[in-house]
Amino acid sequence: MSHPNNTFETGYKYGIDNLGAFLGGELTRQANQPYLESIQKEIDNLTEALNKYEGNANPQLKGYVAEAWHTYTFNIDAAAKQSAERATQVESNGLGSVDVSTSWGEDYSLKYYQNGAQSALAQGHSLEYAYQRYIHRLGEGVEIPTREEYLKMSGIDPNTNMQLGMYEGQARLIPSDQLKDAIEALNKRIQRDLNNLDNPSRAESAQRLIEVRDKLTSHISGPNGEQSLELTEKESRLLAEQAKEGKFDPARYDITLAKKADAMFICGNAMRAGLNAAWISALLKMVPQLVTVIKRLVQDGYLDFDELENAGKSGLSGAKSGFFRGFLCAAIMSSSQLGYLGNAMQNATYTNSFAPGVGVAVVLLCQAVSDGIKCAKGELTKTQYAYNIERNLYIGVGGLVGGLALQSVIEIPVVSYAVGSMIGSLLGGFVFNAKEQVMMSLCVKNGYIVFGLVEQDYTMPDAVRKKLGFPVYGFKEYQVKEYKFKTYQQKNYNQKKYNWKRIDSIILERGVIGFRKVGYINT
């Protein structure tokens, strides 16, 4: 049974363990949450940007889908790298308009044609080419605008050289599987134009294509190493089909928090949380002994170095256990936030009760494992093992309820829960002790075994059996017999008295005779 004098000590010890575990989980949650939310926001933006094309039958849909893909996968990577840079899908059909703009000033033109040559050469068309296409599409009888009028109506300076490229100054993005073929096609066309010295326009064409080749890429690249995910022409068609049905799922492309978050950042937060839990646990472990040392110094005027050394050992022990529990809670918190433990656990991380709950579970698990090892070694009986689990559960639930209750009244992060948990742990210990007293009283009176947790022993005490005349077997001690000389003794006549026989009654009383063991006791 739990001794009342140990209730405070047990509750205080649990409170320290629970605080270390709670700190590991809560500090990790606070450090990870803004970071992971920024990544998830960009993942949601990608999903929304693609699924908004649901029902769209545009044959050029794969081009718009590619723009959204490169824009938002870049933003996801930027968020994962904690960069402030972002890309924006412009969605404009104007002459030479930008498809994707960026916060650092670089613009991108995207062409997703059937092969590399078509995609690359489309990036090198001149303003003159665009003007000729425009007037050829005009119906009969429609007045044909001049080149200056065409440029003006397209929002371009009318004095611009018509031999300039439509996408002058922009980076040229094409499907990743077409990059090699595109460069080969550009090199052939550049070489052919440069060899045609009789036609000045060919030299200008060669310069446009050289610029295309120099600016050719298969992804958006940021100044700090951020990149969009590459996309092949075939994948763009598949994405377009999914977008048309509104069924794009980023998880199918491994675009999840678990895949995109920086593992080093997450592990670093968990390690820092474990270290914080370690020094807090060490300090709280040392406090009672340090108080004793200071008290002795004040009363007796000297330091007890043995007690001081013991305080240091307690602090070291507390630091090790605090770090382990804190880091374990941090790992569970991180895994839950990343979605490794399912959507339900991931959603639960946004509540204030998740970190305390994980802390209690970790402490109870660690204590159960420790007691289980002792039980396997024979240091604890099965009954004692079950008793410890039940006691720890009462204290753990008390700490959880007390911490959450005070936290709801006094909204001071970490501190309010820590104080409430310590008080709740002590109350939980007292409640368990009171429950134990009541339960054992009922077991003594009614013979209950409480699902096998209490042992009922109906063996008579040795003293009672001796009194009833039953033999009591035990180990006999070997005694050396001594030789004694016989002496003559005169016999005296003794008068015998008649003694009345009496009947003795023995009343057996039951009580607690051992650890959760009820049996007959001597009265």
Side-chain angles (χ1 to χ4, degrees), residues 114-150:
Q114 291 189 357
N115 57 62
Q118 292 179 4
S119 297
L121 295 176
Q123 294 279 17
H125 289 319
S126 65
L127 293 173
E128 179 64 26
Y129 173 85
Y131 173 68
Q132 294 298 329
R133 283 188 62 189
Y134 175 77
I135 62 177
H136 279 91
R137 290 177 180 176
L138 294 176
E140 293 184 5
V142 178
E143 184 179 356
I144 299 175
T146 64
R147 288 175 173 79
E148 290 77 9
E149 290 173 339
Y150 173 69

Side-chain angles (χ1 to χ4, degrees), residues 102-210:
T102 63
S103 57
W104 64 95
E106 187 173 15
D107 298 324
Y108 285 80
S109 168
L110 278 75
K111 297 297 179 187
Y112 266 69
Y113 286 35
Q114 291 189 357
N115 57 62
Q118 292 179 4
S119 297
L121 295 176
Q123 294 279 17
H125 289 319
S126 65
L127 293 173
E128 179 64 26
Y129 173 85
Y131 173 68
Q132 294 298 329
R133 283 188 62 189
Y134 175 77
I135 62 177
H136 279 91
R137 290 177 180 176
L138 294 176
E140 293 184 5
V142 178
E143 184 179 356
I144 299 175
T146 64
R147 288 175 173 79
E148 290 77 9
E149 290 173 339
Y150 173 69
L151 292 175
K152 187 174 182 180
M153 60 187 281
S154 299
I156 300 176
D157 185 357
N159 298 319
T160 303
N161 183 357
M162 295 296 289
Q163 295 303 317
L164 289 177
M166 293 170 55
Y167 309 106
E168 185 78 18
Q170 298 181 33
R172 317 301 168 84
L173 198 157
I174 64 172
S176 58
D177 59 330
Q178 297 179 0
L179 199 59
K180 183 178 179 181
D181 293 339
I183 294 175
E184 290 180 359
L186 286 171
N187 286 335
K188 289 179 181 179
R189 183 63 67 86
I190 291 169
Q191 193 63 36
R192 189 185 71 180
D193 289 346
L194 289 176
N195 290 335
N196 192 354
L197 301 177
D198 296 333
N199 188 347
S201 64
R202 289 300 178 187
E204 293 177 334
S205 174
Q207 291 302 316
R208 287 197 306 272
L209 295 178
I210 289 173

Side-chain angles (χ1 to χ4, degrees), residues 288-515:
Q289 290 172 297
L290 288 177
V291 169
T292 302
V293 171
I294 295 172
K295 184 178 179 181
R296 187 180 298 279
L297 177 64
V298 173
Q299 291 179 346
D300 303 333
Y302 70 92
L303 281 173
D304 189 324
F305 289 101
D306 290 336
E307 290 182 353
L308 199 59
E309 183 180 359
N310 291 334
K313 291 179 180 179
S314 297
L316 181 60
S317 173
K320 289 191 294 184
S321 62
F323 176 80
F324 175 76
R325 291 184 175 88
F327 184 78
L328 182 57
C329 279
I332 294 174
M333 175 63 73
S334 298
S335 299
S336 300
Q337 288 179 310
L338 292 171
Y340 286 126
L341 304 181
N343 291 332
M345 290 287 280
Q346 188 175 30
N347 295 331
T349 59
Y350 293 97
T351 63
N352 291 329
S353 60
F354 185 76
V358 170
V360 170
V362 165
V363 172
L364 292 177
L365 176 63
C366 291
Q367 290 174 337
V369 170
S370 177
D371 289 341
I373 294 173
K374 293 178 181 178
C375 184
K377 290 181 177 180
E379 298 175 10
L380 286 177
T381 64
K382 293 182 179 179
T383 304
Q384 290 172 323
Y385 179 61
Y387 171 88
N388 287 348
I389 289 179
E390 185 182 356
R391 180 198 61 191
N392 295 337
L393 187 61
Y394 268 78
I395 295 175
V397 171
L400 179 62
V401 173
L404 292 177
L406 189 61
Q407 188 173 253
S408 63
V409 176
I410 305 175
E411 297 182 1
I412 302 177
V414 179
V415 176
S416 57
Y417 176 81
V419 175
S421 177
M422 187 69 72
I423 297 173
S425 298
L426 297 175
L427 292 177
F430 284 115
V431 169
F432 174 77
N433 188 63
K435 185 275 307 178
E436 191 74 7
Q437 299 290 343
V438 173
M439 184 186 76
M440 293 306 296
S441 298
L442 293 174
C443 291
V444 169
K445 184 177 181 181
N446 300 307
Y448 298 147
I449 61 173
V450 193
F451 306 104
L453 297 177
V454 177
E455 182 182 352
Q456 294 284 351
D457 186 358
Y458 293 94
T459 304
M460 284 188 184
D462 291 345
V464 174
R465 285 190 291 174
K466 286 181 180 180
K467 195 169 186 179
L468 293 175
F470 293 105
V472 178
Y473 296 97
F475 291 102
K476 294 183 177 180
E477 295 181 358
Y478 178 76
Q479 295 180 350
V480 181
K481 293 184 177 180
E482 297 180 0
Y483 179 77
K484 295 182 178 180
F485 291 97
K486 293 183 179 180
T487 56
Y488 175 76
Q489 293 181 349
Q490 183 178 354
K491 290 185 178 180
N492 297 323
Y493 177 76
N494 294 324
Q495 184 178 359
K496 293 182 178 180
K497 294 182 180 179
Y498 181 78
N499 294 323
W500 294 92
K501 292 185 177 180
R502 294 180 299 175
I503 300 177
D504 291 339
S505 62
I506 301 174
I507 300 176
L508 295 178
E509 182 178 346
R510 295 176 60 75
V512 179
I513 61 174
F515 182 81

Side-chain angles (χ1 to χ4, degrees), residues 64-103:
Y64 293 108
V65 165
E67 293 173 11
W69 174 269
H70 283 285
T71 298
Y72 293 104
T73 57
F74 173 86
N75 291 345
I76 291 169
D77 192 54
K81 290 182 169 63
Q82 302 183 71
S83 169
E85 305 294 353
R86 291 294 184 271
T88 305
Q89 183 182 4
V90 179
E91 296 186 279
S92 173
N93 293 321
L95 177 62
S97 61
V98 173
D99 292 323
V100 178
S101 63
T102 63
S103 57

